[in-house]
Amino acid sequence: MIKVLEEIFNNILEHSKESYPNECCGALLGTVDYSNDTKNVVDVKPLTNINKERAADRYEIDPAELLSVEKKAGTNGLDVVGFYHSHPDHPSRPSQFDRDRGWPDYSYIIVAVEGGKKTQAQSWHFDRPDDPFKEETLEILKK
């Protein structure tokens, strides 16, 4: 399960709409409660999609930018617990490309953006390198 503060979730949706018709991406920052296998997202950091050739249907994160985000998160007692990205005019399900590039144990929130306005989000994860993505519960927390 992944829990996201409503204000943070709204930031993800806005970033997804603003980036349309291209994919956006970002890091989910928070903590993991291993006793009940729950990720608690308390912040997000939008990242630059460095894929310029296929930005409408692919994203790629700059490794140096991600390293910087990880270091800053660590100084605040947080970890990168996953990532988000958008699917312009496509469902909020992971593509084969998403699966090929994904890392075990991270959550992946995918936001479908229809026409730059309507959004729908789902979260996905897998535990072992050869596992397929499985949908995980995405809970939006009100303050």
Side-chain angles (χ1 to χ4, degrees):
M1 171 185 286
I2 185 165
K3 297 180 179 183
V4 183
L5 294 172
E6 183 177 41
E7 178 182 336
I8 301 303
F9 184 70
N10 288 338
N11 290 341
I12 293 170
L13 298 181
E14 285 305 310
H15 186 205
S16 298
K17 289 189 278 190
E18 289 168 1
S19 298
Y20 184 89
N22 293 324
E23 288 196 9
C24 72
C25 54
L28 305 170
L29 308 179
T31 59
V32 179
D33 182 347
Y34 292 100
S35 68
N36 62 9
D37 196 28
T38 301
K39 296 176 186 97
N40 299 292
V41 177
V42 297
D43 197 6
V44 292
K45 291 296 177 203
L47 298 169
T48 306
N49 181 357
I50 61 170
N51 187 330
K52 301 303 180 202
E53 293 174 9
R54 293 196 57 184
D57 67 348
R58 299 277 191 272
Y59 76 97
E60 186 175 347
I61 294 171
D62 180 341
E65 187 178 18
L66 178 56
L67 183 59
S68 174
V69 167
E70 287 177 323
K71 286 180 179 179
K72 288 178 186 172
T75 63
N76 294 317
L78 301 174
D79 292 308
V80 173
V81 298
F83 300 92
Y84 71 88
H85 73 278
S86 60
H87 278 184
D89 297 318
H90 287 280
S92 54
R93 291 186 306 271
S95 65
Q96 185 60 49
F97 182 83
D98 294 335
R99 178 59 194 86
D100 293 344
R101 294 284 183 103
W103 296 335
D105 301 320
Y106 286 90
S107 290
Y108 292 87
I109 295 176
I110 301 177
V111 180
V113 183
E114 250 183 73
K117 299 194 184 321
K118 186 178 176 188
T119 59
Q120 176 186 351
Q122 292 171 273
S123 189
W124 305 86
H125 79 283
F126 61 95
D127 298 321
R128 293 184 302 262
D130 294 330
D131 286 349
F133 267 117
K134 294 179 281 190
E135 187 174 1
E136 69 179 335
T137 302
L138 171 60
E139 185 176 334
I140 310 305
L141 304 173
K142 296 188 186 283
K143 273 193 169 181

